[in-house]
Amino acid sequence: MRDIVIAIDGFSGTGKSSTAKEVASALGYTYIDSGAMYRCVARYFINHQIDFVEEEKVIKALDEILISFRFNKSLNASEIFLNDQIMDHQIRLPEINEIVSQIAAQPLIRKKLVSRQQTLGLHKSMVMDGRDIGTVVFPDAALKIFMIADLDIRSKRRQKELEEQGIQVTLEEIKKNLDSRDHLDTTRIDSPLIKAEDAITLDSSYLTFDDQVKEIIDLANKIIYEG
Ligand code: DC
């Protein structure tokens, strides 16, 4: 039996985060949502009215931003903190969705977050989801999953999630936002979203949540127990 890193990358709204969280919980692994880290930076920039094109301000801000994860026993999950303040719905709002892909395209910001993510993964036994986890953050991850799903299906799922949080957004707006984030994420110069050569593609369009979780757990257990 060995401890491994599981990298789950893919497009926005494919269910990466909820899948990764469930896989981690089933394996007794730590789950790190790397997208939430970019969202925290976006939150900080909005709160402090920092424009990501102003390099000096960005450098100063990055020095002031501390992102940490703390395990909450009663939730059996980690929570993300931005400078000691818990971040929850504040990083999931449409205003964050609007700018986070542009923030995540900035090399200075990526450099800082990638290095933080690599430190978090030093102890293995971890599932991390994002866009460049299997290609840049953990190129040696023992298991790499690349999640894809039909845009219409992703949009409907995202709308349902937002409705559950009391946020009303039209399907058209969601589709436009997901589509533009896909475009920005896949075309940016610094570590764009691409499938690592050794990643396994998982199309979640017509899979139930339980089935996609099971598929990854089965793949992971094969590596953990059989090497
Ligand atoms: O997974 P998410 O939607 O919460 O991610 C928010 C944004 O951050 C998304 O536009 C892509 C970007 N991101 C990234 O560039 N690299 C990562 N490892 C994770 C997220």
Side-chain angles (χ1 to χ4, degrees):
M1 180 173 158
R2 64 180 177 125
D3 294 333
I4 63 168
V5 168
I6 302 174
I8 304 185
D9 290 303
F11 292 90
S12 300
T14 47
K16 287 186 311 292
S17 298
S18 35
T19 305
K21 199 177 196 172
E22 198 58 34
V23 168
S25 155
L27 295 173
Y29 275 25
T30 304
Y31 164 59
I32 298 289
D33 175 353
S34 71
M37 298 170 76
Y38 288 95
R39 287 172 178 273
C40 282
V41 174
R43 181 73 273 160
Y44 188 92
F45 278 29
I46 292 177
N47 291 354
H48 295 81
Q49 295 171 353
I50 295 163
D51 188 334
F52 55 81
V53 296
E54 295 174 301
E55 197 171 305
E56 262 178 42
K57 283 193 184 170
V58 171
I59 293 171
K60 186 167 173 284
L62 288 176
D63 270 344
E64 290 162 1
I65 292 175
L66 179 70
I67 297 169
S68 54
F69 290 87
R70 296 178 202 167
F71 191 74
N72 180 328
K73 262 193 189 162
S74 57
L75 294 177
N76 192 29
S78 290
E79 293 172 307
I80 189 164
F81 287 75
L82 167 62
N83 293 341
D84 279 334
Q85 211 189 342
I86 191 160
M87 287 292 125
D88 188 6
H89 65 282
Q90 308 94 316
I91 56 167
R92 307 279 162 200
L93 296 171
E95 65 186 20
I96 300 287
N97 294 338
E98 284 295 318
I99 63 156
V100 68
S101 288
Q102 285 162 291
I103 298 254
Q106 307 306 312
L108 280 175
I109 298 172
R110 297 204 72 78
K111 197 164 166 235
K112 159 122 183 178
L113 293 195
V114 166
S115 138
R116 182 91 184 95
Q117 288 151 9
Q118 287 170 332
T119 311
L120 289 166
L122 281 180
H123 302 296
K124 305 255 173 92
S125 310
M126 103 123 49
V127 183
M128 191 179 287
D129 80 305
R131 304 293 187 292
D132 60 342
I133 310 306
T135 50
V136 175
V137 182
F138 298 119
D140 297 327
L143 177 61
K144 299 179 186 176
I145 305 291
F146 191 75
M147 287 187 66
I148 58 170
D150 176 83
L151 179 63
D152 283 325
I153 294 174
R154 286 190 278 145
S155 306
K156 282 185 193 142
R157 285 181 186 159
R158 182 50 57 90
Q159 189 183 40
K160 194 163 162 257
E161 267 169 33
L162 289 169
E163 271 172 11
E164 281 163 8
Q165 295 166 39
I167 304 169
Q168 303 292 335
V169 190
T170 67
L171 203 57
E172 247 349 274
E173 279 175 278
I174 293 174
K175 209 167 149 181
K176 219 171 108 195
N177 177 259
L178 285 180
D179 199 31
S180 94
R181 281 165 63 196
D182 286 354
H183 179 72
L184 284 166
D185 292 342
T186 49
T187 56
R188 69 173 175 235
I189 302 201
D190 190 350
S191 38
L193 168 65
I194 43 163
K195 178 179 173 292
E197 265 180 28
D198 50 350
I200 296 165
T201 301
L202 189 72
D203 185 343
S204 73
S205 306
Y206 301 104
L207 282 178
T208 66
F209 179 69
D210 288 350
D211 284 345
Q212 71 204 37
V213 169
K214 186 176 178 305
E215 210 160 297
I216 301 175
I217 292 174
D218 288 348
L219 289 165
N221 277 333
K222 242 190 202 147
I223 300 168
I224 292 169
Y225 293 103
E226 295 166 24

